[in-house]
Amino acid sequence: MARGHPDLVLHIFDTKYLAHTDGLSRARTVIRELYAPSAYNSPNETEAAAAWDTIRVGHGIVALDEQYIAENHLPKSFAHPYHPTKHAYVIEAYHAIHCITILRQHYQALDQGKPWDWPRGHDLHCFNVLCEYIMCNIDDTPLNFTHDRDSGHRLKKKCQDWDALSHWAGEHSSGYHFHEPNGSLRGPWLEDYTPGDGLVW
């Protein structure tokens, strides 16, 4: 059940396609290498922080019109401030990315003894979001053990096409610029907006 809408169930009408996203395939067609060295997991925190800071989760906040909302049985969301015939939604995958980026920034702030302005309740919300996201999107891939506590390193795996989702989000862009951790859904809209999500794999 969708929280806040106890009688609403968001249906996936055909498991071959992502719900609500114009036929984006659920098929795993893109081969990725898991846990390979990258800027995101660099032992050099300056390099890692720069990579994480380029992620623009606001790319996943889209503007959908009334017809699209009705056809996909979506709950109403708030009206776009500059396009009153459209409503703003955040794609769930980008919501999860938002949580990861915020939790990482909080961890780094604690590790470096820096102040942190966001409330503890948001961290608890994000832990719950990520747990529910994983349990709802089950991945039963067996990962091999490579070291005492490592698993799946450099494993090649077929994944869904993230770039296709990013492209779809761009086509339905709300023009929303969100910079962690100081952004909020109250703005800014269309100010300094940069296309793309900045994610690299």
Side-chain angles (χ1 to χ4, degrees), residues 118-138:
W118 283 49
R120 178 175 178 270
H122 186 268
D123 286 0
L124 299 179
H125 160 76
C126 276
F127 285 128
N128 189 56
V129 163
L130 294 172
C131 183
E132 290 182 350
Y133 184 73
I134 292 167
M135 293 176 72
C136 186
N137 298 279
I138 298 170

Side-chain angles (χ1 to χ4, degrees), residues 96-187:
I97 293 290
H98 153 76
C99 278
I100 293 168
T101 58
I102 283 291
L103 291 173
R104 184 188 188 280
Q105 288 190 355
H106 194 179
Y107 173 85
Q108 291 303 121
L110 292 172
D111 187 55
Q112 298 169 17
K114 295 180 179 179
W116 183 253
D117 295 331
W118 283 49
R120 178 175 178 270
H122 186 268
D123 286 0
L124 299 179
H125 160 76
C126 276
F127 285 128
N128 189 56
V129 163
L130 294 172
C131 183
E132 290 182 350
Y133 184 73
I134 292 167
M135 293 176 72
C136 186
N137 298 279
I138 298 170
D139 187 336
D140 59 357
T141 302
L143 301 178
N144 63 309
F145 288 102
T146 52
H147 298 93
D148 287 344
R149 296 185 179 182
D150 294 337
S151 58
H153 279 242
R154 312 306 292 264
L155 177 72
K156 287 186 170 58
K157 176 180 177 179
K158 283 188 175 181
C159 302
Q160 290 172 217
D161 190 346
W162 180 271
D163 292 339
L165 178 63
S166 178
H167 180 73
W168 185 91
E171 289 183 330
H172 296 79
S173 173
S174 65
Y176 180 69
H177 176 75
F178 188 93
H179 186 269
E180 308 283 21
N182 298 315
S184 76
L185 283 177
R186 295 175 179 82

Side-chain angles (χ1 to χ4, degrees), residues 184-196:
S184 76
L185 283 177
R186 295 175 179 82
W189 298 88
L190 305 175
E191 298 175 13
D192 301 320
Y193 175 70
T194 303

